[in-house]
Amino acid sequence: VALGKHHIIVYDDIGSLQASRFWWVARRYGIENVSILDGGWQMWCSEGLSVETNPPVYSNPKTYNSSSANRKILAALKENSKYVATIEDVHDASSDIKTKTIIDTRSYAEYVGEKQINRTSGHVPGAIWLEWKSLLKPSSNGVSVFLSKEEIKALAAERGIDEGSKDIIIYCQRAIRAAHAAFALELAGFSPKVYEGSMKEYQNS
């Protein structure tokens, strides 16, 4: 696939969690023409749309040395820093929480430290809890889809997330749930950054 030339549509079967991660990584490296199929595989099947079971066929398959190929791919791509937050950015936002916003998209048990995965537990000081699952709702046929733009704005307002904020950092454990929340918040007009290292880095540093 010529990533820079095609409009890419991604989907999964877990509430767009992995699809959102693909979307964010693509955006991070300058590939903007990526969309997510809302409702994913379950929605597609529930609507009786056509499916195939044959294995993928590649027009011009090649064998790559993974490390060499990765270096060439990364060299050709330019990282867009406006989508990425670092641990330094998180520390800076935490010390200036009146003008900046940090969002924790993990479970409540992880947020309050009842569930410990890393060397330490709890959340970044000043972080707002907004679990990624709360940005989904069941459709008329029971499939999980994203909240509407208006619903996301209302939920964000309930949690004290300022619609006009230009300094929003989102994290989770490994920047997967955070990418999902970033996609949803962008639907509602926010411009968040994802802390790539997330708590795997922050709580083990």
Side-chain angles (χ1 to χ4, degrees):
V1 176
L3 295 179
K5 298 179 181 180
H6 291 76
H7 180 189
I8 304 166
I9 300 173
V10 293
Y11 66 87
D12 60 34
D13 59 357
I14 48 174
S16 298
L17 187 61
Q18 296 292 352
S20 297
R21 173 67 181 180
F22 181 97
W23 164 85
W24 179 77
V25 171
R27 295 279 297 279
R28 175 180 179 176
Y29 290 105
I31 302 167
E32 301 280 347
N33 51 344
V34 179
S35 300
I36 293 175
L37 176 63
D38 198 10
W41 177 247
Q42 291 96 331
M43 180 66 77
W44 184 270
C45 293
S46 70
E47 295 189 357
L49 300 173
S50 60
V51 299
E52 296 179 346
T53 57
N54 52 294
V57 176
Y58 304 104
S59 58
N60 187 25
K62 296 180 180 179
T63 300
Y64 291 96
N65 175 285
S66 59
S67 59
S68 174
N70 287 341
R71 285 195 296 271
K72 290 180 180 178
I73 291 170
L74 291 175
L77 297 172
K78 293 184 179 180
E79 184 175 30
N80 193 333
S81 61
K82 76 176 184 178
Y83 299 121
V84 186
T86 65
I87 192 169
E88 290 78 19
D89 295 326
V90 173
H91 284 304
D92 177 62
S94 182
S95 64
D96 188 17
I97 210 66
K98 289 184 178 180
T99 62
K100 299 179 181 180
T101 303
I102 304 174
I103 301 174
D104 187 322
T105 64
R106 300 172 301 157
S107 68
Y108 182 76
E110 290 171 280
Y111 180 79
V112 299
E114 293 174 353
K115 180 179 181 180
Q116 182 169 347
I117 298 174
N118 305 303
R119 185 172 57 83
T120 60
S121 59
H123 57 271
V124 174
I128 296 170
W129 179 59
L130 180 67
E131 188 172 7
W132 72 278
K133 291 180 181 179
S134 67
L135 295 161
L136 296 171
K137 65 180 179 181
S139 64
S140 58
N141 55 8
V143 175
S144 292
V145 295
F146 285 99
L147 299 179
S148 68
K149 177 179 179 179
E150 293 72 22
E151 290 170 327
I152 294 170
K153 284 185 176 181
L155 177 60
E158 286 178 12
R159 302 297 173 87
I161 300 169
D162 182 7
E163 186 177 339
S165 176
K166 295 182 179 179
D167 294 297
I168 300 175
I169 296 174
I170 309 177
Y171 71 84
C172 56
Q173 171 64 15
R174 299 176 64 112
I176 296 174
R177 290 171 285 182
H180 185 279
F183 178 82
L185 288 172
E186 275 213 14
L187 290 177
F190 295 91
S191 299
K193 291 185 175 183
V194 171
Y195 171 28
E196 170 73 355
S198 279
M199 296 310 261
K200 182 175 176 60
E201 176 183 50
Y202 186 91
Q203 291 184 328
N204 292 300
S205 298

